[in-house]
Amino acid sequence: MDAITSLPDVVALTKALIACESVTPAGPAVFDVLEAALLPLGFSVDRFLAGEAPDGPVENLLAVRDRGGPHFAFAGHLDVVPPGAGWASDPFTPEVRGALLYGRGAVDMKGAIAAFVVAAARAPSTGTLSLLITGDEEGPATFGTVAIIERMAARGLQPDLCLIGEPTSVHRLGDMIKIGRRGSVNIWIEVPGKQGHVAYPHLADNPITRLVAILAEIDAITLDDGSEWFQPSNIEVTDLGVGNPATNVIPALATARLSIRFNDRHRGSDLTAMITAIVKRHAPDGRVTARISGEAFLTPPGTLSTLIGAAIERRTGRHPELSTTGGTSDARFLSQLCPVVEFGLVNATMHKLDEAVAVDDLILLADIYEDILVAALQPAIR
């Protein structure tokens, strides 16, 4: 593991973070590395566990350097998805080959966290900086950023602006930033029937027939054609189940699971009610269970997106696209506090085998983050 000094090097710090195996939920070792990098920079570091099984406990970190003035927050996660088999090298042994640094978490999102730490080391002496880092963004996210927000509220900490270092760039660093995300709800449908012999259907009630009718009605729905900043909402069937091993038996239960990604024209509760009504029409005894992962949100173009876009353009010459595409992120929670924008590394290899980041992109991202802080920590930014 590369040693970390009081003036961190972005590549060395990224390597040190990658070297900690932190499959979600992240363990303490990776937080030790981050804390060691932050303490010499004047941050007070608050590490705490939140929640109980099955979704907890989760380790989180809230680091603050309070110098008055505007409060700029950076949010991210140190947990990673499982690496999977077939890597060209050990996924938790960081390795530079050619122009790329390989390792699980290189782009999602240990590299961005390292870049922000380096930027913070160079940042102006005015203003307040905070890092909101969870160990459970890739998992259930029940006791991660939500718990950090509660911790901040208890301490009276209120950021003015928040940047999340998710890998938003598509082809080149800085070509896209995220100003919003669609909402997400997963729905489980259970249709009970009455088991019986297939030769005597009048003595049974086939739940598959009812479920097929339910799914056909759902499939015919067009939720919307999109909105000003969002793509159309969509409903996808993600699982079907009967579990009937016999060829001559009508089963007693049929199940399905839906995933709905929805824009700012909808609320998760309204979509759940719509699906429930469809199920009840075809199967009055049907059961519907929903889990809303997050509502759609939007940070309209304004101070934060302009500030980030200007920093990107200054360093790269690129004018970033403002987008709301992709899956959910912890911005769905942080958007309740203040304006939130996501900007980070190129996402082409995130969650894939041989995840890698361009070394030059790590260095450039730290430079861009530094420019963002220079602008954001000015007294007039509040």
Side-chain angles (χ1 to χ4, degrees):
M1 181 185 300
D2 293 41
I4 303 304
T5 67
S6 59
L7 293 176
D9 169 82
V10 67
V11 177
L13 181 52
T14 302
K15 285 182 175 181
L17 294 171
I18 291 172
C20 299
E21 187 170 339
S22 58
V23 173
T24 192
V30 71
F31 287 95
D32 291 343
V33 172
L34 181 58
E35 181 178 15
L38 290 172
L39 288 175
L41 304 182
F43 284 88
S44 63
V45 177
D46 176 16
R47 290 169 59 178
F48 63 97
L49 294 175
E52 299 177 349
D55 291 350
V58 170
E59 182 158 3
N60 299 299
L61 180 149
L62 171 58
V64 181
R65 188 171 70 191
D66 189 349
R67 294 173 178 168
H71 180 173
F72 189 88
F74 175 86
H77 62 91
L78 285 169
D79 61 315
V80 298
V81 297
W87 283 63
S89 58
D90 186 325
F92 297 108
T93 300
E95 182 177 317
V96 175
R97 300 197 298 272
L100 302 178
L101 169 60
Y102 290 83
R104 176 55 87 219
V107 296
D108 191 15
M109 56 172 286
K110 293 178 177 181
I113 292 174
F116 189 82
V117 172
V118 169
R122 309 171 186 160
S125 58
T126 58
T128 297
L129 281 180
S130 62
L131 284 87
L132 325 177
I133 309 297
T134 181
D136 185 32
E137 193 270 349
E138 300 288 7
T142 307
F143 300 114
T145 297
V146 172
I148 294 176
I149 291 172
E150 293 171 352
R151 196 84 160 189
M152 294 175 70
R155 292 176 52 178
L157 294 171
Q158 176 63 51
D160 298 297
L161 302 171
C162 182
L163 168 65
I164 300 181
E166 288 287 353
T168 60
S169 302
V170 180
H171 302 293
R172 296 182 297 173
L173 182 65
D175 61 5
M176 180 179 289
I177 65 177
K178 301 294 177 82
I179 61 170
R181 297 275 188 163
R182 293 192 299 172
S184 173
V185 57
N186 291 307
I187 299 177
W188 289 261
I189 299 170
E190 295 183 346
V191 179
K194 183 178 180 182
Q195 184 173 317
H197 196 292
V198 295
Y200 302 92
H202 59 289
L203 300 177
D205 179 11
N206 195 332
I208 299 175
T209 304
R210 297 178 185 271
L211 182 58
V212 167
I214 290 167
L215 296 179
E217 184 170 344
I218 292 171
D219 186 60
I221 295 171
T222 298
L223 288 173
D224 56 71
D225 296 318
S227 60
E228 181 181 5
W229 285 102
F230 288 89
Q231 67 192 86
S233 305
N234 62 297
I235 307 175
E236 304 298 332
V237 180
T238 58
D239 189 45
L240 287 171
V242 175
N244 180 11
T247 60
N248 60 351
V249 174
I250 293 171
L253 181 70
T255 65
R257 185 180 65 224
L258 309 177
S259 180
I260 307 178
R261 296 301 172 99
F262 56 94
N263 60 33
D264 53 351
R265 295 185 182 275
H266 306 278
R267 300 280 300 173
S269 58
D270 296 333
L271 293 168
T272 301
M274 179 191 71
I275 297 298
T276 300
I278 294 172
V279 170
K280 294 298 183 181
R281 279 199 295 273
H282 296 275
D285 295 331
R287 295 180 290 273
V288 175
T289 304
R291 180 170 180 173
I292 301 171
S293 302
E295 300 289 348
F297 73 91
L298 177 71
T299 298
T303 299
L304 183 55
S305 55
T306 299
L307 185 152
I308 293 172
I312 292 170
E313 193 162 7
R314 185 180 306 113
R315 291 285 184 169
T316 69
R318 297 171 198 132
H319 186 70
E321 176 187 353
L322 306 183
S323 173
T324 61
T325 56
T328 58
S329 75
D330 276 357
R332 67 191 188 273
F333 307 123
L334 293 162
S335 62
Q336 302 168 28
L337 295 181
C338 64
V340 176
V341 169
E342 301 172 56
F343 164 57
L345 295 161
V346 175
N347 57 29
T349 61
M350 66 176 180
H351 292 202
K352 294 184 178 181
L353 299 181
D354 296 326
E355 180 180 351
V357 60
V359 171
D360 286 348
D361 279 358
L362 280 176
I363 297 168
L364 180 57
L365 183 63
D367 291 340
I368 296 172
Y369 281 172
E370 179 186 0
D371 287 355
I372 291 170
L373 291 180
V374 169
L377 295 176
Q378 298 301 315
I381 201 66
R382 283 182 185 271

